Amino acid sequence: MLDLVIKGGTLPDGRVADIAIKGDRIVDVGPVTTPAARVIDASGDLVAPPFIDPHFHMDAVLSYGKPRVNASGTLLEGISLWGELRDQASVDDMVTRAVTYCDWAVSMGLLAIRTHVDTTPDHLRGVEAMLEVKRRVAPYLDLQLVAFPQDGLYRSKTGRQNVLRALDMGVDVVGGIPHFERTMDEGAESLRDLARIAAERGLMWDVHCDETDDPMSRHVETMAREVTRHGLGGRAAGSHLTSMHSMDNYYVSKLLPLIAESGMTAIPNPLINITLQGRHDTYPKRRGLTRVKEMQAMGIAVGWGQDCVLDPWYSLGTADMLDVAFMGLHVAQMTHPAEMARCFDMVTTVNAQIMGLSDLGLRKGACASLVVLDSGSPTEAVRLRPDRLCVISKGKVVSEKARNDSRLSLSGRPATVRRRHQP
Ligand code: FE2
């Protein structure tokens, strides 16, 4: 007797199949005739692996307007506002905001998140809070924590020491922010230092790298070199990489092969970088997204990250990775159907690869985490960003939504336009 069967759904590759679940495992994908305690009819619906967000800041989530609204809309004013808020916020406040956000995430089929935790303040309340959140949501949502020295590894007096303290407390991933160190030299040295720490501890490494419009901010070159030197390929990611938008094309033609050689991955964050970058420009105004298609053409794994929801840097956000893919495909001009389908993969399977979540996928033996969407295909899902009808995490139904049957049909024929309804 099975626990659950998802019947007749369309998989992202176009196959129609049943998915059999027992315990927290997918035990079969194909025609399933074994009886089950529950059967969910997914005929005509897309059944996909869960959405994954490889770049987020959960210690700041849902704090928009505290202590003030970001008047200039810039990254630097956001950092300054956060610098005030992080010392005012209690552990309980951060836990409450983060757990609320995790509920939003689950309702959207977002079941794994990598969140950077600011390790700058000596009190490390953010680390304490996020470790507690990770423990609480573990039954249904996987959190990876990154030790993130927001004010610089060296620029902040205790920056390096606090990264090590956070890792000792159980934070999973080594962070970094080389473009925020005092000089280019110190930024490069921070990367050499952090790469050694990641290698010695056998940890993953994820760096806020070159999140600037300065075309001469070239820390990604040093990062790629250190990833190659220490053999960190596959477990190192460069987040943002926005300076690459403004770099000279000839230099980029040398840079991309170095990144590909290293095996490191890339995480652009289109919702945030389209709004934060180019703020010092008049016109033409740069859009600040890194070179997504060009990296993919070189074989570099590129996912889409969300970065922020209602915090000092961003006044919007829904926990919907399809919003992220939708913005990303516009800014990166990925409008071909194959590119739209790739954008869906980026927020599901590629992001899982970036985070090292090899247990996920719609295959026999994999963890039974998946989402049923009110759309017929990945490209339609990216276009409509439709309702998540059912979300299953580790074998358990964690969110359900009634199908919207009140579709408009002015012609009298069944309407084909599906709509999204917020929780
Ligand atoms: Fe970030």
Side-chain angles (χ1 to χ4, degrees), residues 30-229:
V32 174
T33 53
T34 312
R38 184 174 176 195
V39 176
I40 293 173
D41 179 12
S43 307
D45 298 327
L46 177 64
V47 177
F51 296 103
I52 310 290
D53 183 1
H55 190 108
F56 199 66
H57 294 262
M58 205 174 284
D59 45 4
V61 74
L62 307 188
S63 68
Y64 181 69
K66 294 179 189 170
R68 294 176 300 286
V69 163
N70 183 337
S72 67
T74 59
L75 171 67
L76 294 180
E77 184 174 346
I79 292 175
S80 170
L81 288 172
W82 169 243
E84 294 180 47
L85 181 59
R86 68 187 174 198
D87 287 329
Q88 296 167 7
S90 66
V91 170
D92 282 351
D93 175 43
M94 282 188 270
V95 169
T96 301
R97 288 191 277 103
V99 170
T100 300
Y101 177 77
C102 288
D103 285 346
W104 292 17
V106 166
S107 77
M108 290 296 184
L110 170 53
L111 296 182
I113 300 171
R114 174 181 285 178
T115 186
H116 294 253
V117 187
D118 188 356
T119 56
T120 302
D122 291 341
H123 54 67
L124 291 183
R125 284 202 293 271
V127 175
E128 188 185 336
M130 293 307 114
L131 285 167
E132 170 63 15
V133 173
K134 177 177 173 170
R135 189 189 63 74
R136 280 199 208 178
V137 303
Y140 53 89
L141 192 151
D142 290 320
L143 274 191
Q144 271 181 6
L145 308 184
V146 186
F148 174 48
Q150 171 78 74
D151 291 8
L153 193 72
Y154 304 139
R155 192 167 168 177
S156 162
K157 209 184 276 180
T158 50
R160 187 177 191 280
Q161 170 192 325
N162 287 352
V163 164
L164 297 176
R165 284 175 61 207
L167 295 173
D168 289 342
M169 287 167 71
V171 167
D172 310 278
V173 183
V174 179
I177 186 165
H179 56 277
F180 203 72
E181 304 294 347
R182 287 190 180 89
T183 65
M184 292 294 284
D185 276 352
E186 290 189 6
E189 180 51 33
S190 77
L191 288 169
R192 288 189 279 270
D193 197 356
L194 291 161
R196 269 194 304 272
I197 293 169
E200 284 169 9
R201 294 185 176 230
L203 297 175
M204 291 187 284
W205 189 31
D206 189 333
V207 177
H208 279 67
C209 195
D210 298 328
E211 189 181 7
T212 159
D213 293 322
D214 176 4
M216 299 309 289
S217 186
R218 295 176 170 184
H219 292 298
V220 61
E221 176 187 273
T222 306
M223 183 177 179
R225 181 70 191 96
E226 293 309 301
V227 170
T228 301
R229 187 190 314 281

